[in-house]
Amino acid sequence: MIKADIIIPKSMEKTIQQLMPKPADIEDVAIEGRNLILKRTKQGNDVNGAQFADYSTAYLRHREKLGKTTYVNLEFDNKMLGSMSVKRITGGAEIYFSDAERRKIAFYHNYGTGVPERKFFAISDREAKDLIERLVKKLRARSR
């Protein structure tokens, strides 16, 4: 095994510190991720951009009578999507459902348990790449 020590010149220490993401930066990325999930879900699209599986005919009629949208967007009274939250955790941040009952409903939809699978609670590779690029831009701007 080869081992090397890297000695950082004093003149670069401040720049390197500024390039390191802070907990608030990671939390901001998680908030942006949550917002991506919410926007795409409300448009009726899953993590891969495909439209969600249709509602059953009976449920569709029920929604029509109530004046709700007839396309699948996992939004009835906004309790499930409204409970999607972000919190800092050791070493990062997480997106989660703060309401236990809504968390179960989200699980059923995301994994197709008793309802058609509608995989919404995830970040695609493309979305992750975009989020990372935004973070890098922010860190670079801060180091100037």
Side-chain angles (χ1 to χ4, degrees), residues 65-127:
K65 285 178 186 176
L66 296 173
K68 301 288 183 182
T69 60
T70 55
Y71 68 94
V72 179
N73 65 358
L74 305 184
E75 187 174 56
F76 187 80
D77 56 12
N78 200 35
K79 287 183 181 175
M80 182 184 74
L81 296 177
S83 78
M84 196 181 309
S85 302
V86 172
K87 69 178 175 183
R88 288 184 196 181
I89 58 171
T90 303
E94 73 177 4
I95 305 168
Y96 68 104
F97 291 90
S98 58
D99 180 290
E101 186 60 32
R102 304 304 165 203
R103 186 169 38 250
K104 287 180 196 173
I105 294 167
F107 178 88
Y108 300 151
H109 281 285
N110 208 56
Y111 294 100
T113 306
V115 295
E117 182 179 275
R118 298 179 176 113
K119 195 158 215 45
F120 74 100
F121 191 63
I123 300 290
S124 71
D125 290 343
R126 180 186 50 76
E127 290 167 332

Side-chain angles (χ1 to χ4, degrees), residues 3 43 56 99:
K3 184 178 177 183
Q43 292 172 344
S56 68
D99 180 290

Side-chain angles (χ1 to χ4, degrees), residues 36-49:
L36 283 172
I37 293 169
L38 290 172
K39 181 179 178 185
R40 145 167 57 75
T41 302
K42 288 179 180 185
Q43 292 172 344
N45 298 316
D46 70 11
V47 67
N48 298 311

